[in-house]
Amino acid sequence: MTEHPTSHEGRQPVAARSQERTRPRQEATAAAVPQPSAPPVPSPATVPVAPPQDAVGIARREGDRLRFVGAATRRIARGIDLDEIVLGLCRATVPTFSDAILVYLRDPLPVGDERPVAPFVLRLRRTDRLRLTDDDGDTTGTAGTGIQMPESEAGRVAVLDPQTDVMPAAQLCEVPPGGALSEVLRGVRPVFGDSAAARAALPELLGEEMAVPGGRRAILAPLRGRRRVIGAAVFLRGPERPAFEANDLLVAAQLATHTALGIDKAVLYGREAYIADELQRTMLPEGLPQPTGVRLASRYLPAAETARVGGDWYDAIPLPGSRVALVVGDVMGHSMTSAAIMGQLRTTAQTLAGLDLPPQEVLHHLDEQAQRLGTDRMATCLYAVYDPVSHRITIANAGHPPPILLHLGGRAEVLRVPPGAPIGVGGVDFEAVELDAPAGATLLLYTDGLVESRLRDVWTGIEQLRERLAATAQLTGPDHSPPLEALCDDVLDVLGPGDRDDDIALLAARFDGIAPSDVAYWFLEPEDAAPGRARRLARKALSRWGMDELSDSVELLISEVVTNAVRYAERPVTLRLLRTDVLRCEVGDDSPQLPRQRRARDTDEGGRGLFLVNRLARRWGATRLSTGKIVWFEISTRP
């Protein structure tokens, strides 16, 4: 028995299938019979709805505003110093946003947490305006706001005229508290020029003679930094362009905010750069001394213009006996802290040099000082003492690159100096070596920034420096040393473009020495006859040098100084005369007590020796040594 599939799943009922079979015939019949015409009724989903033309224009203008604000703020943010930021604001807004702009800044600008100076004064910093020329070229539009130049100006070129006198605006404006301008600035938000607040504030800011366009053709925008108002900007549009809209106040607010914050950063950066420059200038010697028998030259280059402070230093310190200490060092790091540590180590080195300690002892005490400053305070240092009389140099090294000696014939030699450990390691013994320092030779002390970079290791750089020195010396011939200043400049040229990662300190010393014929040296027993013998010896030396006219004053001063030395000495007293551009006399004894000048009373029998020395000598002084002291004076050899 067959069953009809009337309710099985997936199959249609018989009635439904019969309806589908009859529907095509009905549709065909209906198509054959004419029907009355009627308008079609489209589906709502397929009807294209055309938005009003004003909505499209508004959306386009708002998009242009957003793009303009993004481009303008990026341009402002590119500025580093104050002028670049203000210029960025002017160039970004004229002619795109306004036809003219005036920027006023506080004078003086407060820095950081400084309290502003009263009274509140604004100074016109810059003005820019749009000027049309008759030159051929494309028309400059104002695409940033969706506004085009007028048709009457087609074919003319819009250029900027950055003259400070482009508009007769006031250069200075004092903002009285409670006035209209003060209230607008305190409100922070930009206002249209036709508002009641701006109508009273703009003449106060720009001056009564400044004609402000009527209507909404001016915007007054306060410039507020992080803590206070630092200025104001005035945006102006001419009658040829549409007036500002309400959304333009938001644009002006964005420009003012980014400009004010940028100015705050620029002022802080300028203050930090000033502090860095002053710190570096005070840490390094302003000028090098001119000791007898040696000529000096130096160079210092920071790692970058934005990081002027580092830990590299150099120094030249005159010592007793016409000697000179040559120092170069490098504190690890490139920061204010490194520079401060460098200053403390340099001061310590100067103090230790004044005690006339041996170079290895100086490095030992510097090592102790670095450990007192902190466990991670490390530095390299090279300390050398040059004696122009003996033509010898004593050098001690604490982890620093070795010096290079350029001989008179043009041979450059890397001196073999024990490297030692850096200062700050602690518990390390330093070793000093004594080497010949022939007349005409040049000693070059430098920091690792000159010879080491990411492109080469330190020993490769030292070899290149040695070759460069030898090549430079060949240019002047075997009998002449290269000029010292030019040699320093040529040494710095060994660095290629982009081949400098560190600070560079460079100290060059040309050894002239003092000839043995210009030196007279004696030992005197500490007895009453010593002053008389000193006078006779000095007279003979002056006669041999053809300086008899100085005998009376020299004998008098020598007698006073030797008498004072004999009074306290227990070992032989030394007397030395040096003839250079001046006549120098040095008297040494084993007493550490330094003499000091005092005013003798009328009844005193002594106490006038140093008074005579101070009156008759060109210069005089006393230096404490590890074995006693030296009292010296100089007399000019020229009338």
Side-chain angles (χ1 to χ4, degrees):
M1 184 173 179
T2 303
E3 216 174 354
H4 294 283
T6 58
S7 60
H8 291 288
E9 194 174 23
R11 297 182 182 180
Q12 292 179 333
V14 176
R17 289 200 303 269
S18 62
Q19 290 178 1
E20 289 180 356
R21 286 195 297 266
T22 59
R23 185 178 298 119
R25 291 194 297 268
Q26 294 174 355
E27 291 177 355
T29 305
V33 179
Q35 300 290 331
S37 61
V41 181
S43 172
T46 62
V47 177
V49 180
Q53 188 63 30
D54 290 345
V56 175
I58 292 173
R60 184 180 297 114
R61 284 198 301 270
E62 294 306 318
D64 289 341
R65 280 194 180 92
L66 290 177
R67 286 188 289 271
F68 163 71
V69 170
T73 53
R74 286 192 298 271
R75 186 165 190 170
I76 295 170
R78 284 198 297 264
I80 295 178
D81 60 21
L82 187 62
D83 290 331
E84 288 180 351
I85 293 172
V86 175
L87 178 62
L89 172 65
C90 295
R91 288 291 187 261
T93 55
V94 179
T96 310
F97 182 69
S98 62
D99 294 334
I101 183 175
L102 300 95
V103 181
Y104 283 82
L105 295 181
R106 197 161 189 162
D107 187 24
L109 275 169
V111 181
D113 295 328
E114 287 183 357
R115 299 190 63 180
V117 178
F120 188 168
V121 176
L122 294 177
R123 178 181 293 274
L124 182 61
R125 187 77 183 194
R126 185 180 180 88
T127 63
D128 273 358
R129 75 169 179 180
L130 184 66
R131 179 169 56 87
L132 297 177
T133 66
D134 294 328
D135 298 333
D136 295 334
D138 297 332
T139 301
T140 301
T142 53
T145 57
I147 302 171
Q148 301 296 326
M149 296 295 295
E151 295 181 0
S152 60
E153 303 294 349
R156 305 180 70 185
V157 179
V159 298
L160 293 178
D161 187 13
Q163 300 177 5
T164 56
D165 58 349
V166 69
M167 286 169 286
Q171 295 292 323
L172 282 176
C173 168
E174 183 173 343
V175 183
L181 180 58
S182 176
E183 292 299 322
V184 172
L185 297 179
R186 189 171 63 178
V188 178
R189 295 182 179 180
V191 293
F192 286 121
D194 62 347
S195 64
R199 283 198 302 268
L202 285 174
E204 187 178 336
L205 175 65
L206 307 178
E208 296 293 340
E209 67 277 6
M210 175 66 180
V212 180
R216 291 190 172 183
R217 300 189 177 276
I219 292 179
L220 173 57
L223 302 178
R224 180 176 178 83
R226 290 176 177 81
R227 294 174 178 86
R228 60 185 66 88
V229 174
I230 59 175
V234 181
F235 305 94
L236 301 173
R237 281 187 181 178
E240 297 86 1
R241 296 176 61 175
F244 289 110
E245 301 176 1
N247 287 340
D248 290 328
L249 289 179
L250 301 177
V251 174
Q254 288 289 327
L255 298 177
T257 299
H258 282 79
T259 301
L261 294 178
I263 290 173
D264 258 358
K265 292 180 181 178
V267 173
L268 288 173
Y269 172 78
R271 172 60 62 87
E272 290 182 359
Y274 170 78
I275 294 174
D277 289 341
E278 287 296 309
L279 180 62
Q280 191 69 63
R281 188 175 62 84
T282 55
M283 292 300 181
L284 296 176
E286 293 185 2
L288 294 173
Q290 298 178 352
T292 303
V294 61
R295 285 174 285 171
L296 303 171
S298 64
R299 295 291 186 273
Y300 176 80
L301 293 179
E305 287 296 323
T306 55
R308 295 170 173 244
V309 178
D312 294 18
W313 92 91
Y314 62 88
D315 214 342
I317 309 167
L319 300 177
S322 300
R323 296 170 301 148
V324 60
L326 307 173
V327 191
V328 64
D330 183 5
V331 177
M332 297 181 182
H334 303 87
S335 62
M336 291 285 189
T337 302
S338 300
I341 295 172
M342 176 266 286
Q344 295 182 67
L345 293 180
R346 177 173 176 250
T347 302
T348 303
Q350 290 178 331
T351 304
L352 296 171
L355 299 176
D356 199 27
L357 298 177
Q360 64 272 22
E361 290 295 324
V362 172
L363 294 184
H364 174 72
H365 290 291
L366 283 176
D367 180 58
E368 292 180 339
Q369 175 66 12
Q371 293 180 66
R372 285 191 289 267
L373 295 176
T375 56
D376 58 343
R377 309 307 188 193
M378 300 182 65
T380 62
C381 182
L382 191 143
Y383 188 93
V385 175
Y386 169 65
D387 189 342
V389 177
S390 64
H391 297 269
R392 303 282 286 178
I393 186 168
T394 305
I395 307 175
N397 191 7
H400 204 78
I404 298 178
L405 185 65
L406 179 63
H407 293 268
L408 184 60
R411 181 173 64 92
E413 173 189 8
V414 180
L415 297 182
R416 297 181 178 274
V417 181
I423 292 172
V425 173
V428 179
D429 292 331
F430 299 99
E431 183 181 353
V433 294
E434 188 174 352
L435 305 170
D436 288 329
T442 303
L443 184 69
L444 195 72
L445 309 180
Y446 53 91
T447 56
D448 58 356
L450 182 64
V451 294
E452 184 180 22
S453 71
R454 58 181 176 270
L455 303 178
R456 59 183 177 180
D457 62 85
V458 61
W459 289 108
T460 301
I462 291 175
E463 181 60 23
Q464 292 178 357
L465 177 60
R466 188 195 65 80
E467 294 174 354
R468 185 60 175 264
L469 288 172
T472 303
Q474 294 296 330
L475 300 177
T476 57
D479 300 329
H480 298 85
S481 301
L484 206 56
E485 296 291 340
L487 180 66
C488 291
D489 293 335
D490 192 69
V491 163
L492 295 179
D493 288 341
V494 75
L495 299 168
D499 192 21
R500 182 157 60 89
D501 305 322
D502 199 358
D503 302 348
I504 297 175
L506 176 66
L507 179 62
R510 173 72 44 76
F511 299 142
D512 294 333
I514 299 176
S517 59
D518 293 330
V519 181
Y521 195 86
W522 305 279
F523 287 94
L524 304 173
E525 292 296 330
E527 55 189 12
D528 294 340
R533 183 166 180 261
R535 288 194 298 270
R536 292 191 298 271
L537 294 173
R539 187 185 310 117
K540 291 180 181 179
L542 293 177
S543 178
R544 185 171 66 252
W545 290 336
M547 305 171 69
D548 296 295
E549 68 279 2
L550 300 178
S551 293
D552 293 340
S553 56
V554 171
E555 289 182 35
L556 175 61
L557 298 183
I558 285 180
S559 178
E560 295 294 339
V561 176
V562 171
T563 299
N564 190 69
V566 169
R567 181 178 303 173
Y568 301 102
E570 297 180 359
R571 297 179 181 179
V573 175
T574 61
L575 172 62
R576 186 166 74 168
L577 295 179
L578 301 173
R579 182 185 65 166
T580 57
D581 54 340
V582 297
L583 180 67
R584 182 183 177 96
C585 175
E586 299 173 351
V587 178
D589 61 74
D590 59 347
S591 174
Q593 183 178 358
L594 297 180
R596 61 182 181 88
Q597 183 181 350
R598 64 183 181 88
R599 182 175 296 276
R601 294 175 297 183
D602 295 339
T603 57
D604 293 341
E605 296 182 0
R608 297 177 178 84
L610 290 181
F611 178 77
L612 293 174
V613 173
N614 186 61
R615 292 297 299 269
L616 299 179
R618 178 174 174 264
R619 291 194 311 156
W620 77 278
T623 305
R624 183 180 285 111
L625 306 178
S626 57
T627 57
K629 68 176 181 294
I630 285 182
V631 180
W632 57 270
F633 63 85
E634 294 177 352
I635 293 181
S636 177
T637 59
R638 299 176 182 178

